[in-house]
Amino acid sequence: MSKVLVVEDSPTQQQIILDLLKNSGLKVTIVQDGVEALEHVQKYHPNLVILDIVMPRMNGYEVCRRLKSDPKTKDVPVILCSTKAEEFDRYWGMKQGADAYIVKPFQPVELLGTIKQLMRG
């Protein structure tokens, strides 16, 4: 079973994403911020990371940059999932190494399709 790490500080968003992914047969772990995310990735090696941008302690851009610059984690697909909807936000996220950028509120089919595509690739 594929393991997905969701890094999200909003309880509502956590529940929406958790329900969607579990119902799709994925094993999901949720952490609250970027520092926890980096620790979890090193310890548990998820198959994919869904990352909010605006979070306490360390933002999603920084987490993505660190994951993609580490030889042990650079191949883990990262989806940035944020309410930041400006073109610059998307550009900056991709510049940090993100494999995809999804704007909240998202369509479930968009998130699931992106996950399937990245996990195949």
Side-chain angles (χ1 to χ4, degrees):
M1 181 183 290
S2 295
K3 299 181 292 188
V4 176
L5 174 65
V6 176
V7 189
E8 173 63 65
D9 59 329
S10 158
T12 305
Q13 286 294 321
Q14 288 174 1
Q15 197 59 54
I16 290 169
I17 296 171
L18 177 69
D19 290 346
L20 179 64
L21 301 186
K22 278 195 164 182
N23 290 338
S24 297
L26 297 167
K27 184 177 183 340
V28 182
T29 302
I30 296 177
V31 297
Q32 307 282 328
D33 64 48
V35 174
E36 285 181 61
L38 292 174
E39 291 168 358
H40 183 89
V41 169
Q42 293 294 336
K43 194 170 181 180
Y44 297 104
H45 313 289
N47 302 99
L48 183 133
V49 177
I50 299 174
L51 193 52
D52 188 17
I53 293 175
V54 180
M55 298 181 295
R57 297 207 295 170
M58 184 185 300
N59 71 45
Y61 292 135
E62 179 67 19
V63 175
C64 185
R65 189 168 41 249
R66 289 186 185 201
L67 289 174
K68 292 302 186 173
S69 65
D70 183 335
K72 289 186 227 108
T73 57
K74 70 179 176 50
D75 294 327
V76 176
V78 174
I79 300 173
L80 288 175
C81 188
S82 177
T83 56
K84 294 172 74 65
E86 297 298 320
E87 193 55 41
F88 176 78
D89 300 314
R90 182 182 302 271
Y91 166 80
W92 191 244
M94 301 311 273
K95 194 98 169 117
Q96 306 315 304
D99 297 282
Y101 193 103
I102 293 178
V103 176
K104 295 177 199 166
F106 56 84
Q107 293 297 318
V109 69
E110 178 188 13
L111 181 59
L112 291 174
T114 303
I115 290 169
K116 284 181 185 155
Q117 182 182 356
L118 290 173
M119 290 178 107
R120 265 197 309 248

